[in-house]
Amino acid sequence: MSEAPFTRVGVRPIPPPRLKTRPWYEGRPVLSCAVLAVILLGCLFCGAFIPKDPAYMDLYHASTPPGGGFWLGTDAMGRDIFSMIWYGGRISLAIGFLSTLVSTLLAVLFGAASGLSPRWLDGLLMRLTEIFLSIPSLLLIVLLQAVWGKAGVISLSLVIGATSWTGVAKVVRTEVRQLRSCGYVIAARCMGAGFFRILRRHLLPNFLSSILFMVVMNVRGTIAAESTLSFLGLGLPLEVISWGSMLSLSEKALLSGAWWVILPPGIVLVVTMVCLTDIGNYLRRAAGRRASNL
């Protein structure tokens, strides 16, 4: 009986594991960015596609429901709702970005000054910040706007920006306290560099990513604050078209059953808030991952 043939083999080479490549869009707010970009571009270039003049009062077609020549209906003064949404978005977004710019500048300057100051001055500035934080922001906005006078786009942006810087300032102060002991900051101070040069060249690039998500959330908060003030009758006048001034007509619209005056601008405002929240949360998670890697 013959022996069965056999093959002598060695160690089989193990193929390298196949790395699963994640799609570039996974975990990123692609949909929120796309929707927000559509809203921004639509508001900026609304003159190319809106069918009616948003400020024209066609009293003959006042409170007309959606359909026919008015896609989303008209308000009690005969103004086209569809045109008002896109045109009014310019004002609301302008207030949001301008007030965020003001609050960010104040927060960076105040937080950096507090972080670089001696211990006694740092404690004094932080107590001042906590006093501002203890006052309800809406009450402070109403007080400052009453002192300013009639509300306008610039005045409302400055007032909202001047009352929404405290949270970002505390984060900036914490980051600066950690960075002030770094060698490059100490070397710059020894060579006579001033406060603004140190802030611009050495501090700002290091804590910008930490406050970026708070800046985005501030845009959302300021747009919501403008809408809330206009809803309460303390914001922009009715002749200035914005999302907030449109929502200020909601009480009369509900009493008359004109749901189309409230629902379309409310949906656009909510969608914008949700997109900004999603983008802000993504930036917060990204900053947290970078901090954990370090």
Side-chain angles (χ1 to χ4, degrees):
M1 185 173 178
S2 60
E3 296 180 359
F6 63 91
T7 304
R8 186 176 180 180
V9 296
V11 179
R12 290 184 179 180
I14 301 176
R18 299 180 61 182
L19 299 177
K20 294 182 179 180
T21 58
R22 297 174 57 185
W24 64 270
Y25 54 83
E26 185 176 341
R28 297 181 178 179
V30 179
L31 181 60
S32 298
C33 291
V35 173
L36 187 62
V38 170
I39 294 175
L40 289 173
L41 293 175
C43 293
L44 289 175
F45 302 103
C46 62
F49 62 87
I50 55 176
K52 308 285 184 182
D53 182 3
Y56 179 68
M57 299 181 185
D58 188 359
L59 297 179
Y60 182 75
H61 295 97
S63 299
T64 301
F70 302 96
W71 297 346
L72 296 179
T74 61
D75 63 355
M77 292 177 282
R79 298 179 295 181
D80 182 50
I81 298 295
F82 180 81
S83 302
M84 291 175 66
I85 288 175
W86 294 107
Y87 185 83
R90 293 180 176 182
I91 304 298
S92 295
L93 293 173
I95 291 175
F97 286 110
L98 182 58
S99 57
T100 301
L101 177 62
V102 173
S103 64
T104 304
L105 288 176
L106 290 175
V108 169
L109 293 176
F110 194 91
S114 179
L116 293 175
S117 298
R119 185 177 297 274
W120 66 271
L121 184 57
D122 176 45
L124 180 63
L125 294 177
M126 283 299 100
R127 299 295 84 75
L128 181 63
T129 305
E130 291 171 359
I131 291 174
F132 271 95
L133 281 171
S134 65
I135 304 175
S137 58
L138 186 60
L139 180 61
L140 195 58
I141 291 173
V142 172
L143 176 63
L144 292 179
Q145 188 59 58
V147 173
W148 189 290
K150 185 179 180 180
V153 176
I154 302 298
S155 65
L156 200 58
S157 301
L158 294 177
V159 167
I160 296 176
T163 56
S164 57
W165 56 271
T166 49
V168 182
K170 290 179 73 67
V171 176
V172 171
R173 178 254 181 191
T174 303
E175 295 290 333
V176 172
R177 296 289 292 183
Q178 296 175 356
L179 294 170
R180 61 183 293 181
S181 300
C182 295
Y184 52 87
V185 176
I186 297 175
R189 299 180 71 175
C190 291
M191 288 187 291
F195 169 74
F196 290 101
R197 181 174 177 82
I198 294 175
L199 176 62
R200 179 174 56 89
R201 294 292 299 274
H202 303 291
L203 297 178
L204 186 60
N206 288 285
F207 65 72
L208 184 61
S209 60
S210 302
I211 66 170
L212 192 58
F213 78 94
M214 299 187 69
V215 172
V216 175
M217 300 300 278
N218 263 358
V219 176
R220 184 203 66 170
T222 52
I223 295 176
E226 182 271 327
S227 302
T228 303
L229 290 174
S230 298
F231 178 78
L232 296 174
L234 303 172
L236 298 174
L238 290 177
E239 60 268 15
V240 179
I241 301 173
S242 68
W243 291 340
S245 63
M246 293 177 69
L247 292 176
S248 65
L249 303 173
S250 59
E251 182 179 357
K252 296 179 181 178
L254 287 174
L255 292 176
S256 61
W259 55 268
W260 57 88
V261 177
I262 312 168
L263 196 57
I267 290 176
V268 174
L269 180 60
V270 169
V271 168
T272 305
M273 298 294 104
V274 170
C275 291
L276 289 171
T277 302
D278 191 22
I279 296 172
N281 287 333
Y282 169 75
L283 294 174
R284 177 180 55 82
R285 292 193 300 268
R289 284 194 299 267
R290 285 193 294 270
S292 62
N293 291 334
L294 294 175

